[in-house]
Amino acid sequence: DKAIDFYNKALAIDLKVLGDQHPKVATYYNNLGSAWTSKGDYDKAIAFYNKALAIALKVLGEQHPYTKIVADNLFSIRQQQIDN
């Protein structure tokens, strides 16, 4: 819960300073996805991973290693959701 609070605070700051299409913002969305996955809330995790992936695709491109990491995270959580 503390991690989610800190990620949300940092995200709010970076959204103001960097804007909503910055790779660092995508990183916070990805981290929030991981945190929500750890808590078992797959719907929230997927929502954050989708936000991270949209930014990564737009800013970094489909072949960038970070984009692939986020896409893998999203695929993994969808698999977990199906399995549960």
Side-chain angles (χ1 to χ4, degrees):
D1 290 331
K2 283 187 179 186
I4 291 170
D5 289 339
F6 287 127
Y7 287 142
N8 279 322
K9 288 177 185 177
L11 174 62
I13 292 167
D14 281 352
L15 280 170
K16 281 184 181 179
V17 174
L18 302 172
D20 64 354
Q21 295 300 305
H22 194 277
K24 192 171 178 185
V25 170
T27 299
Y28 285 119
Y29 285 138
N30 185 66
N31 292 345
L32 281 161
S34 295
W36 284 110
T37 299
S38 295
K39 290 182 62 83
D41 192 330
Y42 299 140
D43 291 334
K44 283 186 181 177
I46 288 170
F48 281 110
Y49 286 138
N50 277 325
K51 288 180 181 185
L53 184 59
I55 295 168
L57 285 168
K58 183 175 181 181
V59 177
L60 302 173
E62 188 174 329
Q63 297 303 315
H64 193 277
Y66 182 74
T67 304
K68 291 180 179 186
I69 288 169
V70 176
D72 287 345
N73 288 343
L74 183 57
F75 176 79
S76 177
I77 191 66
R78 286 185 175 152
Q79 284 300 120
Q80 287 180 35
Q81 193 176 40
I82 290 168
D83 293 343
N84 291 331

